[in-house]
Amino acid sequence: MRSRSAFFPLFAALSWGIMFPVLASALSRVDALNLTTARYVLATAVLVALLLAREGVVALATARRGTEVLLLGALGFAGFNTLTNLALGMAAPQQIALFAATVPVVTQLVRWARDGVRPRPALLGLSLVALVGVGLVITRGRLDGLGEFGPGGLLMVGAVLGWAFYTHGASRFPEWSPLRYTTLTSVAGALAMLAVSAVADLTGLQHAPAAADLVAVSPQLAYAVLIAAVVAGLAWNTGVRRLGPADAALFMNVVPVTTFVVQILRGYRPGAVELVGAALTIAALVAANLATRTRKAPAAPAAVAVTDRAAVIEPVAVVAR
């Protein structure tokens, strides 16, 4: 069951790794804030339609948790994606993607601070090993390469913190399906992004894109909306539900390695140190998966809860309906 469950955060991480270079290519035509807003307004419309079709209009209610949903949506969707797109305008995609590898460690620390759950030593150690591997991939073993991030790196620190709180927040809504949690937080995030973009447009900090610009980046938007936002978002929150925030977050180490592979396919040639780093990251992920399998199997009631139709949403099945 854990091997099957691992597919969901793995798919999300692979999708997001491809997303960095895809979105970077669109920033030449559309400003970062407007690109983020267009992406999530469209993605939210799709998610709302799926939620209404599957769970009905009652699922749109926040059950007196509107403030928490708004905060998580602003931190996760608006915060992470807006800051990431701004950072992509200041540094190469593979450099910015490196920061995604800090999500596993940060998520465990957030869980420790908020819930008092100490990180499992093995999982924390493997998170750090994977982070070292990613560092080798991106910097090619040169420590001075870490000094090239500049303002983009500072923006990504905020993005990572926002995503860590969002990932942890999913575990605080056990009575909601991943589809409902993803949709309602996406609505909140889209509203926050619309407000910020409107202010930026009115004050001249950016300019609303022309229709020709949106048409020019429509292939990038299609991928970013349907795959990287809708399907990957559902897959991520399903993985968090099944594996827990700390275990699911470990798969974020795949994001920068995937971005690195995309850059290779575009003509970049890696060195031996980079290949060693990629192998180290993959080995740490495999070891973490094996380590979590050795834990005591849950009791029968817990197993029933995991497979309950209302608790778990298969992202592919939802989109296919």
Side-chain angles (χ1 to χ4, degrees), residues 53-182:
R54 190 171 183 94
E55 300 184 27
V57 68
V58 68
L60 291 175
T62 59
R64 299 182 180 178
R65 302 184 71 177
T67 301
E68 188 175 5
V69 169
L70 181 62
L71 179 60
L72 289 169
L75 286 173
F77 284 111
F80 179 81
N81 290 285
T82 300
L83 292 176
T84 295
N85 280 350
L86 289 171
L88 282 170
M90 303 177 184
Q94 63 268 28
Q95 292 178 331
I96 295 305
L98 170 64
F99 284 87
T102 65
V103 169
V105 175
V106 175
T107 300
Q108 292 179 66
L109 296 178
V110 167
R111 190 176 180 221
W112 190 3
R114 294 196 64 181
D115 297 339
V117 179
R118 294 175 64 91
R120 298 201 306 275
L123 192 59
L124 182 60
L126 289 169
S127 297
L128 295 173
V129 170
L131 180 58
V132 170
V134 170
L136 291 175
V137 168
I138 305 303
T139 65
R140 288 173 278 180
R142 294 171 47 199
L143 294 179
D144 59 340
L146 293 174
E148 299 177 0
F149 296 111
L154 294 177
L155 291 174
M156 284 306 298
V157 170
V160 166
L161 284 172
W163 191 253
F165 275 100
Y166 177 78
T167 296
H168 174 267
S171 66
R172 301 170 70 88
F173 290 77
E175 71 280 9
W176 288 12
S177 70
L179 175 59
R180 185 180 183 187
Y181 178 75
T182 304

Side-chain angles (χ1 to χ4, degrees), residues 15-288:
S15 301
W16 293 330
I18 297 171
M19 178 189 70
F20 282 104
V22 168
L23 289 180
S25 68
L27 290 174
S28 61
R29 298 295 298 264
V30 181
D31 293 323
L33 290 177
N34 280 320
L35 181 64
T36 306
T37 301
R39 177 191 175 199
Y40 268 98
V41 167
L42 293 172
T44 298
V46 175
L47 287 168
V48 169
L50 291 173
L51 183 63
L52 288 174
R54 190 171 183 94
E55 300 184 27
V57 68
V58 68
L60 291 175
T62 59
R64 299 182 180 178
R65 302 184 71 177
T67 301
E68 188 175 5
V69 169
L70 181 62
L71 179 60
L72 289 169
L75 286 173
F77 284 111
F80 179 81
N81 290 285
T82 300
L83 292 176
T84 295
N85 280 350
L86 289 171
L88 282 170
M90 303 177 184
Q94 63 268 28
Q95 292 178 331
I96 295 305
L98 170 64
F99 284 87
T102 65
V103 169
V105 175
V106 175
T107 300
Q108 292 179 66
L109 296 178
V110 167
R111 190 176 180 221
W112 190 3
R114 294 196 64 181
D115 297 339
V117 179
R118 294 175 64 91
R120 298 201 306 275
L123 192 59
L124 182 60
L126 289 169
S127 297
L128 295 173
V129 170
L131 180 58
V132 170
V134 170
L136 291 175
V137 168
I138 305 303
T139 65
R140 288 173 278 180
R142 294 171 47 199
L143 294 179
D144 59 340
L146 293 174
E148 299 177 0
F149 296 111
L154 294 177
L155 291 174
M156 284 306 298
V157 170
V160 166
L161 284 172
W163 191 253
F165 275 100
Y166 177 78
T167 296
H168 174 267
S171 66
R172 301 170 70 88
F173 290 77
E175 71 280 9
W176 288 12
S177 70
L179 175 59
R180 185 180 183 187
Y181 178 75
T182 304
T183 301
L184 294 186
T185 51
S186 180
V187 169
L191 291 175
M193 284 182 275
L194 277 171
V196 172
S197 289
V199 171
D201 287 337
L202 291 173
T203 57
L205 293 176
Q206 65 175 18
H207 302 285
D213 293 323
L214 292 176
V215 171
V217 300
S218 58
Q220 294 97 315
L221 270 178
Y223 176 84
V225 169
L226 297 176
I227 304 300
V230 175
V231 180
L234 289 171
W236 181 257
N237 286 323
T238 299
V240 171
R241 175 65 56 84
R242 291 189 173 192
L243 299 174
D247 290 1
L250 190 62
F251 285 87
M252 288 298 286
N253 289 292
V254 174
V255 173
V257 175
T258 303
T259 302
F260 172 71
V261 171
V262 171
Q263 297 298 77
I264 291 176
L265 295 176
R266 297 176 66 186
Y268 181 76
R269 293 294 173 261
V273 173
E274 295 164 285
L275 295 176
V276 169
L280 190 62
T281 297
I282 294 171
L285 288 171
V286 172

